[in-house]
Amino acid sequence: MRTALITITAGRLAHLRNQLRAVAAGTRTPDDHIVVSMGDPAVLAELRAGPAHGRWLPARTPLPLAAARNLGAATALERGAELLVFLDVDCLPDPVMIERYQQARNDSHAPDAVDCGPVTYLPPPPPGGYDLADLPRCRAPHPARPAPPDEMIWDAEDYGLFWSLSFAVAARTWSRLGGFDPTYRGYGAEDTDFGFRARAAAVPLRWVGGAHAYHQHHPVSDPPVEHLADILRNARLFHRRWGSWPMRGWLDAFTDLGLLTPVGGALGWVPGAHAQDGIGDRTDRVDQEEMWTSPN
C-alpha cells in the first residue's frame, strides 16, 4: 500500500528537522512525505536536499490549516498514495507508527475507517535535544484520548475526540469525505468538524494501539488567548452546521477571564470587557461568508 505522510508547517523549522530524522529512523518509511509550507520560504529551502516533497501555500492570517492539509492530500493523491497519514509538524513518529497504521489498514474489518494514534506530550528537551531511540520509553499518552495496548484497535464512540495531530485514512475515504473544510481558518474546530462529518457519513473512527507519536515541547498559553478571535469565529461556524458548541472548555475559560460575554443564540458569545480591540470585527465576519460544503 503506497503510503504518504503529510505535514503542514509555518515556522517550527527545528521541529520539522527532528521529525524528518524520526521518520527516517522508522521501521517503515513512507513512500512519500509531503510538507506544505504556509508562506515560509525557509521550509522549502530545508527540503531541497532531502527526501520530502515541499509544496507552497501563500501565507494568510489566520493560517489556512485546513486548506494546507487539503493541498498536502491532493499532492499525495496525484503522486499515487493509497494511504494518507497526517502528522503535526510538532510531532515525532514512533519507530513503528507508519507500520502500525499500515497494519491497521491491511488487517482491517473496517477498510474505510479513520484511524487515530495516541500522542504523548513531551517535556522540554535536554541540552542535546531529544534522543529518538529513547522516545518509546517516554510514552505517556494524553489522558483525554483513548490509548489502546500496542496490538489492539478500539472503535471510537465519541467522534468529537478526533484530532489531526496524528491520523491515517485511505485515499478513497478521504475523497469520500472531501477533506477538511477550508472555511475554518486559524486555530480550532476544523478537527471536530471533520470527525462529525465522518460520523454523518457512517465512517468508523478507531484508535490504533502502537501508532504512537510524541509532541515536541513548545510554550503554550492556557487558555490560548492569542487565538481567541479564531476560536470564537470557528466555533460559530461549527454551531451553524452542527447545532452544538465545540471547544467549550476554552470558551468558558475566556468567559471566566472577562474576554468573552455569553449572549446565547447563534452568536453564543461576544467579546467581553477585557477583550482586545478588533476581535469583534474578525469574529463577526463568518456571518457574511458562504459556508463550504463537501464535494461529496
Side-chain angles (χ1 to χ4, degrees):
M1 178 176 293
R2 184 172 176 81
T3 301
L5 181 65
I6 299 165
T7 303
I8 65 172
T9 185
R12 302 283 167 82
L13 194 56
H15 287 173
L16 177 61
R17 288 171 179 157
N18 287 339
Q19 185 185 95
L20 294 172
R21 289 194 302 116
V23 169
T27 58
R28 293 186 187 173
T29 56
D31 299 287
D32 227 347
H33 189 178
I34 311 299
V35 179
V36 179
S37 171
M38 294 176 286
D40 187 351
V43 170
L44 296 187
E46 182 73 19
L47 299 175
R48 288 194 185 109
H53 179 75
R55 287 300 307 269
W56 176 266
L57 189 66
R60 288 186 288 159
T61 301
L63 284 174
L65 304 177
R69 293 193 191 100
N70 291 349
L71 176 59
T75 303
L77 295 177
E78 290 168 2
R79 294 162 65 91
E82 300 168 280
L83 178 64
L84 308 178
V85 178
F86 291 79
L87 189 66
D88 191 276
V89 69
D90 297 332
C91 290
L92 304 173
D94 188 272
V96 301
M97 188 196 79
I98 295 292
E99 182 176 359
R100 280 295 293 142
Y101 276 138
Q102 290 175 333
Q103 289 172 344
R105 187 63 47 207
N106 289 332
D107 298 337
S108 174
H109 296 294
D112 293 325
V114 175
D115 288 336
C116 294
V119 177
T120 291
Y121 278 72
L122 296 172
Y130 294 116
D131 181 351
L132 297 184
D134 193 52
L135 289 180
R137 290 187 287 273
C138 299
R139 289 182 183 176
H142 194 289
R145 298 296 192 281
D150 282 1
E151 302 302 320
M152 295 189 67
I153 298 175
W154 290 349
D155 293 328
E157 296 181 359
D158 186 353
Y159 280 73
L161 294 181
F162 168 81
W163 57 4
S164 58
L165 283 178
S166 174
F167 76 99
V169 60
R172 63 178 176 270
T173 306
W174 172 266
S175 299
R176 175 183 169 190
L177 293 175
F180 285 85
D181 179 352
T183 313
Y184 293 94
R185 297 196 304 273
Y187 203 70
E190 85 283 358
D191 293 45
T192 312
D193 180 86
F194 185 88
F196 273 40
R197 285 192 292 110
R199 183 182 66 183
V203 171
L205 177 67
R206 307 185 307 172
W207 293 89
V208 179
H212 285 266
Y214 308 92
H215 190 283
Q216 303 173 77
H217 177 82
H218 60 78
V220 296
S221 55
D222 186 16
V225 293
E226 66 273 23
H227 299 294
L228 188 155
D230 299 342
I231 288 171
L232 182 54
R233 178 192 178 280
N234 288 342
R236 288 174 178 170
L237 173 59
F238 184 95
H239 182 266
R240 286 174 59 184
R241 176 170 293 153
W242 301 108
S244 61
W245 292 100
M247 306 177 287
R248 279 302 303 261
W250 287 340
L251 293 168
D252 291 341
F254 292 145
T255 301
D256 291 342
L257 292 173
L259 299 174
L260 293 179
T261 298
V263 294
L267 291 180
W269 291 259
V270 296
H274 301 299
Q276 297 176 355
D277 293 339
I279 287 179
D281 294 339
R282 291 177 58 190
T283 55
D284 291 341
R285 199 172 301 158
V286 68
D287 297 329
Q288 305 302 321
E289 295 176 349
E290 183 174 332
M291 291 176 62
W292 173 89
T293 56
S294 168
N296 298 295

